[in-house]
Amino acid sequence: MGNWNQLKGKVKQRWGQLTDDELNEVEGNVDQLIGLVQQKTGEARQQIERTLSEMSDQAGSAFTQASEKAREYADQAGEKLRGAADQIRDRTQGYADEAQAMVRRRPAESVAVAFGAGLIVGLLVGIVSGSRD
């Protein structure tokens, strides 16, 4: 019978004379719940069954709608992440292609630039390491 906690809230709204303790005792047992409502209110069993069925349908419908919305949001987030990953991959590949083309056009200069960059990084690491001692 749907989500018991949602249904229990609706039952409390409809039949306010029922206590939380009484609802916890029946804990989703439909026959016991109907008997409890009959005892407390004097309503006919068929009317109680109809009302509970409507409440259960509403609770199930709300849960289904919430699940569908959550699934939609997750799908949208996944699509955006895939799109961002594709863009990053494409840009990275473009930069790698440009660097490769540069090395082919000017190999000597590329080696000199790489050597200079390595030398600068090495000096910086040495300075930082030396200042920690």
Side-chain angles (χ1 to χ4, degrees), residues 35-66:
L36 178 64
V37 173
Q38 275 184 306
Q39 177 186 0
K40 290 283 190 161
T41 67
E43 285 186 41
R45 181 176 182 88
Q46 288 179 332
Q47 178 57 41
I48 296 168
E49 287 174 348
R50 264 194 306 274
T51 302
L52 287 174
S53 178
E54 290 170 6
M55 288 178 179
S56 179
D57 290 346
Q58 290 171 356
S61 175
F63 179 76
T64 300
Q65 289 174 351

Side-chain angles (χ1 to χ4, degrees), residues 17-128:
Q17 59 268 53
L18 300 177
T19 67
D20 286 330
D21 289 341
E22 290 170 328
L23 290 174
N24 288 335
E25 281 182 34
V26 299
E27 188 65 39
N29 184 313
V30 178
D31 287 330
Q32 287 181 5
L33 178 59
I34 292 170
L36 178 64
V37 173
Q38 275 184 306
Q39 177 186 0
K40 290 283 190 161
T41 67
E43 285 186 41
R45 181 176 182 88
Q46 288 179 332
Q47 178 57 41
I48 296 168
E49 287 174 348
R50 264 194 306 274
T51 302
L52 287 174
S53 178
E54 290 170 6
M55 288 178 179
S56 179
D57 290 346
Q58 290 171 356
S61 175
F63 179 76
T64 300
Q65 289 174 351
S67 296
E68 288 173 1
K69 276 291 180 197
R71 190 176 307 117
E72 284 176 27
Y73 289 140
D75 290 345
Q76 289 173 359
E79 287 175 26
K80 287 183 180 184
L81 284 173
R82 281 188 292 278
D86 289 345
Q87 285 179 349
I88 291 170
R89 186 187 65 241
D90 292 345
R91 285 183 185 168
T92 303
Q93 185 62 47
Y95 295 143
D97 292 345
E98 287 177 28
Q100 206 171 31
M102 177 66 78
V103 169
R104 283 192 190 117
R105 282 194 307 268
R106 298 184 173 160
E109 292 168 351
S110 298
V111 170
V113 168
F115 178 76
L119 184 62
I120 291 171
V121 170
L123 287 173
L124 289 174
V125 169
I127 290 170
V128 170

